[in-house]
Amino acid sequence: WPRLVVCALGAVLVVHACLVSLWMAPNSPVRDVVGNSFLSSYVDPYFKQGSDTLGIGSNRIDEALQIRAWVKNTVKAEPGETDWIDVTAIEAEHLVGDFGAARSHLAARRLAASLNLAMLQFDDDQLSIIAEFDQDVSRADMRRQLLAAGSSPRIVQNFLGADEMARRYASLWLDSVINDGEIVAIAYRVGRREAPRADEDGAATLQSRAFAWFDMGERTPFRGTPEARSVFKDYVEGRNG
């Protein structure tokens, strides 16, 4: 059995080395066959390895989560739509100089990573289905439509889990900052951008790249308990303070 264990570990290391090498390599037919989305889902967020370095290095991936709401009040007959709120940008600004941030202070960034990882597993047709989801579509309907579109049960389950976390997070955040009406619907989208590779022309830095956005349609707001809303309001005021 020791020989089997050593062989198994060796095989894992070989596969890992091959995948990271492809991630670092210039565009090629072999890389195209494996697929950039697959390589991205493996290397990030688990290993955080840049496309030109191994181990700890500069961040090569940037992710963003934006949220908004439809608010009904006594002045307007129809619900009004708010602007997008970039909760990851607010979080990043608050954490400048904080080298030992608590996990809760990185909630938006971690949620964006989970959502992007889930969305990268879908093809264009399945992403279009997700973008059309609204409040009338139950979670069971979401599952049924995605499975019918050819997605695997595991991928769908991962997406639904990340989607529910996003619904609750966005609902509680928006409830904390909107005080002049009733939130009747929410929406969120997640973005991802990668630093340019050494063999690419154009933008020279990660920050100069545009985000590729995944839209997720509308959702019914999560209300939560009064205690949960109160605690989350303190959390949001700490981010905006």
Side-chain angles (χ1 to χ4, degrees):
W1 68 264
R3 182 179 299 175
L4 291 175
V5 171
V6 171
C7 290
L9 290 175
V12 170
L13 290 175
V14 168
V15 171
H16 171 71
C18 290
L19 290 175
V20 173
S21 297
L22 280 174
W23 169 251
M24 297 171 60
N27 292 330
S28 67
V30 175
R31 198 175 193 277
D32 293 339
V33 169
V34 176
N36 187 58
S37 63
F38 174 78
L39 293 172
S40 296
S41 68
Y42 176 75
V43 175
D44 178 75
Y46 300 110
F47 296 100
K48 295 295 185 185
Q49 291 165 316
S51 62
D52 58 357
T53 58
L54 286 175
I56 299 174
S58 60
N59 187 20
R60 308 289 297 183
I61 303 293
D62 192 15
E63 295 170 303
L65 176 63
Q66 295 186 348
I67 62 177
R68 69 179 177 185
W70 282 264
V71 182
K72 182 178 181 180
N73 55 44
T74 56
V75 177
K76 295 182 180 179
E78 295 294 329
E81 181 179 312
T82 68
D83 294 330
W84 286 106
I85 301 173
D86 191 327
V87 290
T88 41
I90 294 172
E91 183 179 83
E93 183 178 358
H94 180 76
L95 292 176
V96 172
D98 186 353
F99 299 105
R103 288 171 63 89
S104 61
H105 294 169
L106 298 169
R109 178 76 51 187
R110 295 173 67 86
L111 184 54
S114 296
L115 286 169
N116 269 317
L117 184 60
M119 299 297 277
L120 285 169
Q121 311 306 310
F122 295 114
D123 61 29
D124 290 342
D125 291 338
Q126 293 157 357
L127 291 174
S128 297
I129 291 173
I130 292 173
E132 295 297 324
F133 285 154
D134 59 27
Q135 296 183 85
D136 296 328
V137 181
S138 67
R139 306 199 74 76
D141 290 335
M142 292 182 185
R143 174 189 291 276
R144 190 177 304 110
Q145 290 185 37
L146 290 172
L147 290 176
S151 185
S152 73
R154 179 185 60 81
I155 290 175
V156 173
Q157 187 60 36
N158 289 342
F159 163 72
L160 291 177
D163 179 76
E164 179 60 18
M165 288 191 291
R167 184 178 78 93
R168 297 189 180 203
Y169 184 88
S171 297
L172 291 172
W173 183 288
L174 291 164
D175 182 72
S176 299
V177 298
I178 296 175
N179 302 309
D180 57 351
E182 176 190 3
I183 299 176
V184 296
I186 64 167
Y188 39 88
R189 62 182 184 179
V190 65
R192 176 185 172 92
R193 59 183 176 181
E194 298 183 14
R197 302 178 60 80
D199 61 329
E200 289 180 338
D201 297 327
T205 64
L206 175 65
Q207 289 71 27
S208 62
R209 282 291 178 95
F211 280 102
W213 292 100
F214 296 116
D215 291 314
M216 301 184 190
E218 301 175 18
R219 299 290 187 276
T220 301
F222 171 77
R223 301 303 178 185
T225 65
E227 292 79 8
R229 293 198 298 271
S230 176
V231 170
F232 207 89
K233 187 175 182 66
D234 292 339
Y235 165 81
V236 172
E237 288 177 350
R239 304 284 75 72
N240 291 327

